[in-house]
């Protein structure tokens, strides 16, 4: 099921994500030919272009924002569209709509229900051929089960009338059509069957000529081998797609082949840069800044300027400075690598960077947007080297009030590379005299105590800036992030922990936000129709209303009226006991679900400036300026600052591309983290931990594993010593009652109630397949956590 809420627009198409049902459950329709017609033929682009979507009775419809769900029943209705494709859907006649009954589920219930699985957003691209407008689309995939949070289907007392539709046209194939998986041999077939790891992708027939030479003789040798296959065709008369093997990756469960599969599936270009690209790099080497370039720039090389980054960072694209002025105020500078000086427009290097759009970070490696000579040397603000920068310099009061502001190209010479831990040590020990050895600095040009004093001043100003931002009502939904300790020789994970966000991180964050906000206003004033900005749409109203209702039933009074009110609720509701961090993580997860993605856009495309707003930051204008080594959007902003861009259409096109690549890069990081954690469980498990329930379904529940910060689903049927379980829902509050077998023959069974915020014990253990792991519920020592006691923290 897809929740497709959006505003009435003249022409609307849908980004399509789905859960692929098994192909053998397809209902085949016999066509007039000899073969069965599995799918309907697509409409032509001419047909789609001439449809008037404004007509209310048009089956290629537009409908009211945030009001309806659309159900696409089975693989036939999805009609060969894959995850991420932009498609046109046709509404089916009302007699084909579904009636969903809201009955309580028991363990043995067989009645038809629907359960929301996951949600996300994408931006629909502009297609001039089909005259497609662009808009934000939200959708939710659902499967057999009961409707959960976020459902916005119109309801009667006990039944729901569910609209149904089918895909009639694919506007753009966003899915890469490249997938990882395994091969299966059939002696009587001229092809092998490729089974993708991603079950949303169909199985694929591949020619035996593509397979290894001895595959038909010794297929068992390749049972655990990962391959990459590219779908080349998917005809209307075949439930399976056709494809060609692109590459043999290696053994399933090993880091490198699994990683290469993740990158390939998500269209990440990790190939070497071409000779044409490398020819664009500065010559000769070693390269020095030309004297004529130095004359054009503000010379800040004698200033105390330093970087603060993760200890392992090699692409240092931002630096800070803070100088006490005679009047008691401060001159504070944010200095950003001037990547646009090296990446000239309309060059092979520019084309490569714009296509990659972002550096992609994995646990053990980085796929850079730029050649390493630039991102790790010439553009990286390494200490003791002259570097070209764009600077924003403010005159600030100690309270953080801006008295003046200057933008311009500059040249700096960083005096120190500080890690977040170094800066944190300075903040926590303001009176301590540090030695260069303690901070791992090699004879910095400025004394350590001068650097220390600058860090303390920046910290003090950052605290005031943060208080000002919070007072205006901002929201930050921090997601749990894993940090891995990797063995440098074997590249295997030794351990992992939840990344801790400290004052040194907040220091850097405040000044990067300040620089991005200042730059957004600057470029919008100068280029009102060309500025590349970043907006964050408000959350989906219906889902926020249902979140409010669910929290109310749980006894949690949460204020969702504004981003600031929500942030204050999160800060005040979670208590100060040992599980406060887990409760906040669960609440944050619940509050994140109605949120939409932040998006790049060109200011000339959106005429309503109310849509420019950034919801979470609660500000009218925002952009990205501070990370040009790893984000192409920032390079465009730098060029705007240098007055070198002139076409809004190109800016908007690149904005959409940057949105897509940023989303893919985020997903790659998540999958890389899952890969390494699965390996850690395999090598070091089983792992036991307390966990907090985040969501309750009819036969399972999701938990936050507190020690490791990962989210996992626990299945009741997989739980040992469980006699039975019952599902119950009142309004938006769901509960599972687990009935455990007695510990001895004479003892009675006992019940454990599972609801949101319940505490349980789980064991993470490896599955049969490589790098996959499950969360098994451990038998409680008592009747389980008292839910009322846990919730009492919220209600005090």
């Amino acid at each position: 099921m897809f929740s497709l809420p959006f505003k009435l627009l003249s022409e609307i198409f849908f980004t399509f994500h789905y859960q692929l049902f098994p192909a053998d459950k397809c209902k085949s329709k016999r066509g007039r030919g000899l073969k069965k017609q599995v799918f309907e033929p697509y409409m032509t682009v001419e047909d789609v272009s001439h449809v008037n979507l404004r007509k209310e009775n048009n089956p290629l419809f537009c409908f009211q924002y945030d009001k309806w769900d659309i159900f696409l029943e089975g693989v036939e209705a999805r009609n060969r569209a894959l995850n991420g494709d932009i498609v046109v859907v046709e509404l089916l006649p009302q007699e084909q709509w579904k009636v969903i009954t809201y009955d309580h589920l028991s363990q043995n219930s067989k009645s038809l229900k629907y359960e929301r699985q996951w949600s996300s957003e994408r931006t629909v691209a502009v297609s001039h051929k089909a005259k497609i407008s662009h808009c934000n689309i939200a959708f939710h995939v659902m499967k057999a089960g009961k409707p959960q949070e976020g459902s916005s289907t119109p309801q009667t007392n006990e039944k729901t009338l569910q609209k149904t539709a089918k895909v009639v046209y694919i506007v753009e194939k966003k899915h890469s059509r490249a997938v990882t998986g395994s091969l299966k041999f059939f002696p009587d077939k001229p092809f092998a069957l490729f089974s993708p790891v991603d079950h949303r992708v169909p199985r694929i027939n591949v020619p035996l000529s593509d397979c290894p030479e001895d595959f038909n003789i010794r297929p068992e040798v390749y049972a655990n081998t990962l391959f990459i296959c590219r779908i080349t065709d998917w005809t209307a008369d075949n439930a399976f797609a056709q494809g060609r093997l692109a590459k043999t990756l290696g053994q399933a469960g090993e880091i490198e082949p699994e990683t290469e599969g993740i990158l390939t599936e998500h269209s990440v270009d990790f190939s070497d840069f071409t000779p044409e690209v490398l020819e664009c790099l500065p010559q000769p080497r070693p390269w020095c800044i030309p004297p004529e370039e130095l004359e054009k720039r503000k010379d800040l090389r004698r200033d105390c300027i330093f970087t603060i980054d993760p200890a392992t960072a090699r692409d240092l694209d931002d630096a800070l400075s803070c100088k006490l002025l005679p009047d008691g105020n401060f001159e504070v500078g944010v200095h950003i690598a001037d990547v646009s000086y090296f990446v000239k427009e309309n060059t092979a290097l520019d084309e490569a960077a714009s296509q990659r759009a972002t550096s992609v970070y994995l646990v053990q490696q980085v796929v850079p947007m730029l050649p390493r000579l630039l991102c790790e040397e010439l553009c990286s603000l390494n200490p003791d080297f002259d570097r070209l920068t764009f600077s924003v310099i403010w005159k600030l009061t100690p309270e953080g009030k801006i008295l003046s502001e200057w933008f311009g190209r500059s040249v700096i010479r960083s005096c120190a590379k500080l890690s977040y831990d170094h800066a944190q040590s300075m903040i926590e020990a303001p009176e301590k005299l540090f030695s260069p050895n303690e901070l791992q600095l090699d004879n910095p040009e400025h004394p350590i105590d001068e650097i220390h004093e600058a860090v303390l001043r920046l910290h003090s100003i950052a605290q005031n800036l943060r208080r000002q931002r919070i007072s205006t009502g901002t929201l930050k939904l921090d997601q749990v992030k894993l940090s891995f300790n990797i063995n440098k020789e074997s590249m295997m994970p030794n351990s992992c922990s939840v990344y801790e966000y400290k004052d040194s991180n907040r220091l850097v964050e405040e000044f990067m936000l300040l620089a991005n906000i200042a730059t957004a206003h600057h470029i919008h004033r100068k280029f009102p129709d060309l500025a590349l900005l970043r907006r964050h749409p408000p959350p989906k109203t219906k889902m926020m209303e249902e979140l409010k209702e669910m929290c109310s039933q749980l006894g949690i009074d949460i204020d969702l009226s504004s981003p600031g009110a929500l942030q204050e609720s999160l800060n005040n509701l979670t208590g100060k006991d040992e599980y406060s961090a887990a409760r906040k993580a669960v609440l944050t997860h619940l509050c994140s679900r109605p949120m939409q993605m932040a998006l790049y856009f060109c200011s000339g495309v959106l005429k309503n400036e109310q849509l420019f707003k950034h919801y979470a930051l609660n500000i009218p204008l925002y952009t990205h300026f501070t990370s040009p080594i790893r984000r192409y959007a920032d390079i465009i902003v730098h060029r705007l600052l240098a007055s070198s861009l002139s076409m809004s259409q190109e800016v908007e096109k690149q904005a959409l591309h940057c949105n897509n690549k940023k989303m893919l890069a985020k997903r790659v990081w998540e999958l890389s983290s899952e890969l390494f954690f699965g390996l850690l469980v395999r090598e070091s498990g089983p792992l036991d931990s307390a966990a907090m329930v985040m969501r309750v379904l009819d036969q399972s529940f999701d938990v936050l594993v507190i020690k490791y910060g990962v989210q996992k689903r626990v299945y009741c049927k997989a739980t040992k010593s469980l006699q039975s379980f019952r599902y119950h829902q009142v309004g938006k509050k769901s509960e599972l009652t687990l009935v455990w077998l007695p510990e001895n023959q004479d003892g009675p069974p006992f019940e454990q109630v599972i609801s949101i915020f319940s505490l349980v014990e789980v064991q993470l253990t490896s599955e049969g397949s490589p790098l996959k792991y499950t969360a098994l519920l451990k038998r409680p020592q008592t009747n389980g956590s008292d839910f009322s006691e846990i919730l009492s923290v919220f209600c005090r």
Side-chain angles (χ1 to χ4, degrees):
M1 181 177 292
F2 296 74
S3 170
L4 298 169
F6 54 94
K7 295 181 180 178
L8 287 172
L9 295 171
S10 62
E11 298 167 318
I12 296 181
F13 296 87
F14 306 95
T15 300
F16 180 45
H17 285 230
Y18 63 88
Q19 178 74 32
L20 185 67
F21 290 2
D24 57 3
K25 293 185 180 179
C26 300
K27 298 178 182 178
S28 300
K29 297 180 180 179
R30 185 172 298 277
R32 295 181 180 178
L34 295 177
K35 290 188 175 182
K36 293 181 179 179
Q37 194 74 9
V38 181
F39 304 105
E40 290 188 12
Y42 295 131
M43 294 177 65
T44 65
V45 66
E46 290 79 11
D47 292 337
V48 175
S49 300
H50 290 104
V51 172
N52 183 2
L53 296 179
R54 298 181 184 181
K55 295 173 64 175
E56 291 185 6
N57 61 348
N58 194 331
L60 297 180
F61 57 94
C62 50
F63 49 90
Q64 191 173 0
Y65 181 85
D66 215 9
K67 288 294 182 183
W68 310 96
D69 286 335
I70 304 300
F71 182 55
L72 284 86
E73 184 175 21
V75 70
E76 288 180 348
R78 294 191 288 275
N79 200 359
R80 295 165 285 165
L82 295 182
N83 183 30
D85 290 352
I86 301 173
V87 304
V88 182
V89 297
E90 178 182 354
L91 189 66
L92 297 177
Q94 185 168 348
E95 57 267 21
Q96 296 184 36
W97 294 0
K98 298 294 178 183
V99 176
I100 304 173
T101 304
Y102 285 81
D103 293 335
H104 293 308
L105 287 177
S106 65
Q107 184 173 353
N108 298 318
S109 175
K110 296 181 180 179
S111 57
L112 180 64
K113 319 256 182 345
Y114 298 95
E115 166 195 331
R116 192 173 305 281
Q117 275 297 97
W118 51 265
S119 66
S120 185
E121 302 95 23
R122 295 292 182 270
T123 300
V124 175
V126 178
S127 171
H128 299 291
K129 290 183 180 179
K131 300 180 181 178
I132 299 171
S133 300
H134 70 283
C135 59
N136 293 330
I137 303 301
F139 50 87
H140 301 276
V141 179
M142 307 184 77
K143 70 176 185 181
K146 185 178 173 62
Q148 297 293 328
E149 300 84 24
S151 177
S152 52
T153 306
Q155 296 185 18
T156 60
N157 289 335
E158 294 187 7
K159 295 182 178 180
T160 296
L161 189 62
Q162 180 68 65
K163 285 188 175 183
T164 58
K166 62 182 179 182
V167 173
V168 295
Y169 182 74
I170 297 181
V171 179
E172 185 177 355
K173 293 180 178 179
K174 285 286 190 180
H175 190 284
S176 67
R177 266 56 184 177
V179 289
T180 59
S182 57
L183 285 173
K184 186 175 182 180
F185 177 67
F186 292 94
D188 57 340
K189 300 291 184 182
F191 54 81
L193 184 63
F194 183 87
S195 297
V197 174
D198 185 348
H199 298 296
R200 295 171 297 179
V201 180
R203 284 172 281 183
I204 306 165
N205 294 330
V206 298
L208 283 176
S209 58
D210 280 9
C211 302
E213 290 184 1
D214 59 343
F215 175 71
N216 57 341
I217 302 173
R218 298 189 301 161
E220 69 280 356
V221 173
Y222 300 95
N224 201 35
T225 301
L226 274 183
F227 297 89
I228 292 178
C229 180
R230 293 189 182 276
I231 294 176
T232 56
D233 194 15
W234 193 0
T235 58
D237 58 8
N238 200 332
F240 294 168
Q242 291 79 51
R244 303 296 300 270
L245 285 188
K247 191 174 183 180
T248 303
L249 293 176
Q251 289 297 105
E254 294 183 357
I255 289 295
E256 292 310 313
E258 294 277 1
T259 296
E260 187 172 341
I262 291 172
L263 294 172
T264 302
E265 285 190 16
H266 290 80
S267 302
V268 176
D269 183 357
F270 58 97
S271 62
D272 294 335
F273 288 96
T274 65
E276 291 77 16
V277 170
L278 299 179
E279 285 176 5
C280 299
L281 299 178
Q283 299 287 348
R285 299 172 195 159
W287 181 83
C288 295
I289 301 172
E292 60 271 19
E293 186 63 32
L294 290 175
E295 294 175 1
K296 302 175 185 177
R297 294 172 177 263
K298 189 178 185 71
D299 193 340
L300 303 173
R301 287 177 289 180
R302 294 185 179 276
D303 289 10
C304 179
I305 298 175
F306 47 87
T307 59
I308 305 176
D309 287 280
T312 57
R314 301 171 72 178
D315 50 352
L316 315 179
D317 47 16
D318 58 85
L320 295 165
S321 62
C322 185
K323 186 188 304 182
L324 178 63
L325 300 175
D327 61 1
N329 295 311
F330 297 97
E331 182 183 273
V332 174
V334 170
H335 315 278
I336 307 300
D338 187 0
V339 178
S340 62
Y341 174 85
F342 298 97
V343 183
K344 304 296 185 184
E345 288 186 80
N346 302 317
T347 62
L349 174 59
D350 183 42
E351 177 65 20
S354 70
Q355 286 302 310
R356 295 192 179 208
T358 181
S359 295
V360 179
Y361 292 84
L362 299 99
V363 170
Q364 80 284 25
Q365 70 183 82
V366 179
V367 180
M369 182 181 74
L370 299 170
R372 295 192 182 277
L373 177 67
L374 293 183
C375 62
E376 295 181 6
E377 295 185 40
L378 300 185
C379 292
S380 185
L381 307 182
N382 300 321
D384 303 326
F385 289 95
D386 293 353
R387 290 291 182 255
L388 301 176
T389 48
F390 258 112
S391 294
V392 189
I393 300 175
W394 301 275
K395 183 177 180 180
L396 297 174
T397 67
E399 294 74 32
K401 181 181 178 181
I402 299 175
L403 303 177
S404 65
E405 182 177 82
W406 178 86
F407 285 91
R409 276 180 151 151
S410 55
V411 57
I412 70 167
R413 187 179 180 89
S414 172
C415 65
K417 176 187 175 182
L418 301 179
S419 69
Y420 283 119
D421 288 339
H422 293 155
Q424 188 65 29
S425 298
M426 291 178 167
I427 292 169
E428 293 176 354
E431 304 299 327
K432 182 177 178 179
L433 297 176
F434 289 88
S435 68
N437 289 336
E438 284 182 278
L439 301 178
Q440 299 174 354
L441 302 178
D442 297 327
N443 301 316
E445 291 188 11
H446 291 264
I448 294 293
D449 58 344
E450 183 181 357
I451 299 171
H452 189 180
E453 186 63 30
V455 170
L456 293 177
R457 289 168 178 166
L458 288 169
H459 172 58
S460 176
I461 298 170
Q463 287 182 308
N464 290 325
L465 289 172
R466 187 177 182 84
R467 277 192 287 268
Q468 290 175 29
R469 281 201 310 108
I470 292 174
S471 68
T472 63
T474 65
L475 172 66
K476 187 173 183 182
L477 298 177
D478 290 318
Q479 300 294 326
V480 176
K481 182 179 179 180
L482 280 181
S483 178
F484 289 88
N485 182 300
I486 303 295
N487 186 305
K488 293 182 179 180
E489 293 183 0
S490 67
M491 297 306 294
M492 300 285 280
N494 292 328
S495 62
C496 74
S497 59
V498 175
Y499 184 80
E500 187 177 358
Y501 201 75
K502 300 180 180 179
D503 284 338
S504 56
N505 301 83
R506 297 184 184 95
L507 182 161
V508 175
E509 178 189 41
E510 285 306 318
F511 289 105
M512 297 306 112
L513 285 173
L514 192 65
N516 285 335
I517 294 168
T519 305
H521 285 273
H522 182 89
I523 63 175
H524 186 247
R525 280 196 305 269
K526 192 168 184 180
F527 305 104
D529 294 327
L530 288 170
L532 179 68
L533 302 175
R534 187 163 175 82
R535 65 189 182 95
H536 185 207
K540 303 178 189 70
T541 305
K542 184 66 175 179
M543 293 182 71
M544 291 291 273
E545 291 173 353
E546 294 182 344
L547 173 63
K548 175 81 172 177
E549 181 183 346
M550 184 192 70
C551 288
S552 177
Q553 290 182 320
L554 291 169
I556 303 170
D557 184 16
I558 189 167
D559 189 346
L560 304 173
S561 60
S562 69
L566 175 54
Q567 186 68 66
E568 188 173 358
S569 294
L570 290 173
N571 294 339
N572 295 337
L573 288 173
T574 50
K576 295 182 179 179
D577 63 319
E578 62 176 316
Y579 295 112
S580 60
R583 270 193 297 272
K584 186 170 185 179
V586 171
L587 262 182
T588 298
H589 170 77
L590 294 174
C591 294
S592 296
R593 295 174 64 191
M595 298 296 162
Q596 302 195 64
M597 288 179 65
L599 300 165
Y600 297 113
F601 71 101
C602 177
S603 57
V605 173
L606 286 180
K607 300 304 179 184
N608 183 359
E609 291 196 11
Q610 291 297 311
L611 300 177
F612 290 17
K613 291 182 177 180
H614 196 290
Y615 172 80
L617 294 175
N618 197 21
I619 53 176
L621 294 174
Y622 190 65
T623 194
H624 275 165
F625 161 73
T626 55
S627 296
I629 292 178
R630 63 181 179 90
R631 291 189 305 228
Y632 190 77
D634 301 53
I635 294 179
I636 294 180
V637 171
H638 281 221
R639 288 173 177 168
L640 286 167
L641 283 173
S643 303
S644 62
L645 274 184
S646 60
M647 292 184 62
S648 64
Q649 186 177 354
E650 287 302 313
V651 174
E652 179 64 13
K653 180 180 178 181
Q654 190 63 52
L656 293 171
H657 182 64
C658 288
N659 288 330
N660 186 48
K661 287 295 186 179
K662 185 175 177 65
M663 176 274 297
L664 290 174
K666 180 176 182 291
R667 185 57 183 151
V668 166
W669 161 255
E670 292 169 350
L671 291 173
S672 177
S673 182
E674 290 175 14
L675 177 64
F676 272 77
F677 189 73
L679 185 62
L680 186 70
V681 173
R682 188 183 76 183
E683 299 297 321
S684 306
L687 305 177
D688 294 341
S689 174
M692 184 168 285
V693 177
M694 307 179 71
R695 184 184 183 194
V696 178
L697 305 175
D698 62 295
Q699 300 184 49
S700 60
F701 54 93
D702 295 338
V703 297
L704 171 70
V705 184
I706 295 173
K707 184 176 180 180
Y708 302 105
V710 299
Q711 299 175 22
K712 202 65 179 171
R713 180 158 294 180
V714 177
Y715 293 93
C716 296
K717 290 183 178 179
T719 302
K720 297 179 180 179
S721 302
L722 201 61
Q723 179 175 295
S724 63
F725 57 89
R726 301 186 303 275
Y727 176 82
H728 178 68
Q729 180 171 342
V730 178
K732 299 298 177 184
K733 180 181 176 182
S734 301
E735 288 184 350
L736 275 170
T737 301
L738 310 183
V739 181
W740 292 86
L741 293 169
E743 293 186 278
N744 52 67
Q745 290 184 342
D746 299 329
F750 65 91
E751 295 185 350
Q752 179 184 17
V753 177
I754 302 294
S755 187
I756 292 180
F757 301 111
S758 292
L759 287 172
V760 297
E761 288 285 329
V762 298
Q763 183 174 85
L764 305 180
T765 182
S766 288
E767 292 182 358
S769 55
L771 303 187
K772 301 294 183 182
Y773 67 95
T774 56
L776 300 176
L777 181 65
K778 296 182 68 176
R779 184 188 187 96
Q781 297 300 314
T782 63
N783 286 345
S785 302
D786 188 335
F787 183 58
S788 61
E789 289 183 10
I790 295 172
L791 282 184
S792 66
V793 177
F794 293 103
C795 306
R796 289 171 185 163

